[in-house]
C-alpha cells in the first residue's frame, strides 16, 4: 500500500492526489533508501497543490494515516510546514539541533510560501534528513537509529494536496528533474 483509500496515484506513479479524502494522511515512495549502505540519498517533492505539508521519510510498514502524532514509535518522521513545525506532527522525527525561527524558518511554508520544491537529503549513517526548498533551508531532523531502510514520504494536515516526486537517488547532487530511480509513489 502506497496511498490511502480514496486518494490516487497518477502520471505513471509520480503524482499523489489527496482528493479531499483524508486529513493527516500521506504517501510513501516504493523505492527504498539506506538499504545496505551508510551513504547519502536525496529526493525532491514538488508541491503542486496543498495547504499544510509534511515531508520526510517513513518505514515500509507505515499505515499512511495519523500524521498528527509525534511519538517515538510512529513509523514516519516528517517535518511539518506550519508555525514551529519541528515540534509537532512529526512522528518519530526529532530536531537534529535546537531550532530557531532565525535559523530554520519564520512563519510557515504552507502552500508555496517558501518554495515549490522540497529537497530532502537523507544521511543514512547519521540517521538525519535535511529539508530545504529552492529558496531556503527549512530544517534538519533525526530519525530512529533502528531504522535501517527508509522510504521518501509526504503527507498533509489538510486534504487538498497534490505532490509530485521529481527525483530520487544516491549521490551528491540529485535534485531537480533527473530520472526517478526505481519508480515513484
Amino acid at each position: 500500500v502506497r496511498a490511502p483509500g480514496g486518494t490516487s496515484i497518477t502520471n505513471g506513479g509520480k503524482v499523489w492526489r489527496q482528493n479531499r479524502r483524508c486529513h493527516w494522511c500521506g504517501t510513501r515512495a516504493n523505492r527504498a533508501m539506506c538499504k545496505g549502505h551508510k551513504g547519502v540519498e536525496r529526493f525532491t517533492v514538488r508541491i503542486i497543490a496543498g495547504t499544510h505539508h509534511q515531508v520526510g521519510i517513513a518505514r515500509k510498514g507505515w499505515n499512511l494515516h495519523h500524521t498528527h502524532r509525534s511519538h517515538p514509535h510512529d513509523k514516519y518522521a516528517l517535518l511539518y510546514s506550519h508555525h514551529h513545525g519541528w515540534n509537532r506532527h512529526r512522528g518519530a522525527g526529532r530536531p537534529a539541533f535546537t531550532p530557531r525561527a532565525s535559523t530554520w524558518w519564520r512563519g510557515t511554508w504552507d502552500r508555496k510560501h517558501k518554495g515549490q520544491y522540497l529537497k530532502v537529503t537523507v544521511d543514512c549513517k547519521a540517521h538525519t534528513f535535511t529539508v530545504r526548498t529552492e529558496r531556503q533551508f527549512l530544517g534538519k531532523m533525526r530519525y530512529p537509529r533502528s531504522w535501517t531502510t527508509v522510504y521518501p514520504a509526504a503527507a498533509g494536515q489538510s486534504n487538498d494536496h497534490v505532490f509530485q516526486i521529481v527525483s530520487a537517488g544516491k549521490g551528491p547532487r540529485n535534485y531537480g528533474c533527473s530520472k526517478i530511480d526505481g519508480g515513484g509513489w
Side-chain angles (χ1 to χ4, degrees), residues 5 26 28 54 60-61 67 90 92 98 100 107 119 145 147 168:
R28 71 157 180 82
Q54 296 169 290
K60 188 173 186 174
T67 61
R90 63 181 189 241
T98 303
R100 298 196 191 325
K119 302 172 181 188
R145 290 231 169 255
W147 294 13

Side-chain angles (χ1 to χ4, degrees), residues 73-148:
H73 299 294
D74 285 328
K75 294 184 178 184
Y76 59 89
L78 304 169
L79 187 61
Y80 176 54
S81 70
H82 210 53
H83 296 283
H84 304 279
W86 53 80
N87 68 0
R88 65 191 197 280
H89 312 311
R90 63 181 189 241
R94 299 289 176 266
F97 56 88
T98 303
R100 298 196 191 325
S102 62
T103 56
W104 287 40
W105 75 86
R106 291 188 194 287
T108 72
W109 44 280
D110 295 345
R111 295 179 181 82
K112 299 175 189 170
H113 292 192
K114 305 286 187 201
Q116 181 176 13
Y117 292 90
L118 302 172
K119 302 172 181 188
V120 182
T121 301
V122 180
D123 185 326
C124 304
K125 183 177 182 180
H127 286 258
T128 62
F129 66 92
T130 303
V131 182
R132 64 180 314 108
T133 69
E134 68 275 19
R135 295 185 195 163
Q136 76 173 76
F137 171 83
L138 295 177
K140 185 173 185 177
M141 303 290 281
R142 292 193 186 285
Y143 62 94
R145 290 231 169 255
S146 61
W147 294 13
T148 56

Side-chain angles (χ1 to χ4, degrees), residues 2-78:
R2 294 181 328 224
T7 69
S8 61
I9 305 283
T10 62
N11 294 41
K14 308 291 188 284
V15 176
W16 175 61
R17 299 174 187 282
Q18 210 170 6
N19 296 331
R20 301 203 179 279
R21 300 297 289 191
C22 54
H23 294 270
W24 299 111
C25 68
T27 187
R28 71 157 180 82
N30 60 9
R31 182 191 168 280
M33 297 188 308
C34 302
K35 187 175 180 178
H37 73 87
K38 296 291 182 187
V40 173
E41 299 209 39
R42 293 175 166 76
F43 66 95
T44 301
V45 174
R46 177 178 164 228
I47 303 166
I48 297 171
T51 305
H52 305 297
H53 321 300
Q54 296 169 290
V55 67
I57 57 173
R59 298 189 74 188
K60 188 173 186 174
W62 174 40
N63 70 7
L64 309 173
H65 291 279
H66 310 295
T67 61
H68 61 283
R69 301 186 310 206
S70 293
H71 297 290
H73 299 294
D74 285 328
K75 294 184 178 184
Y76 59 89
L78 304 169

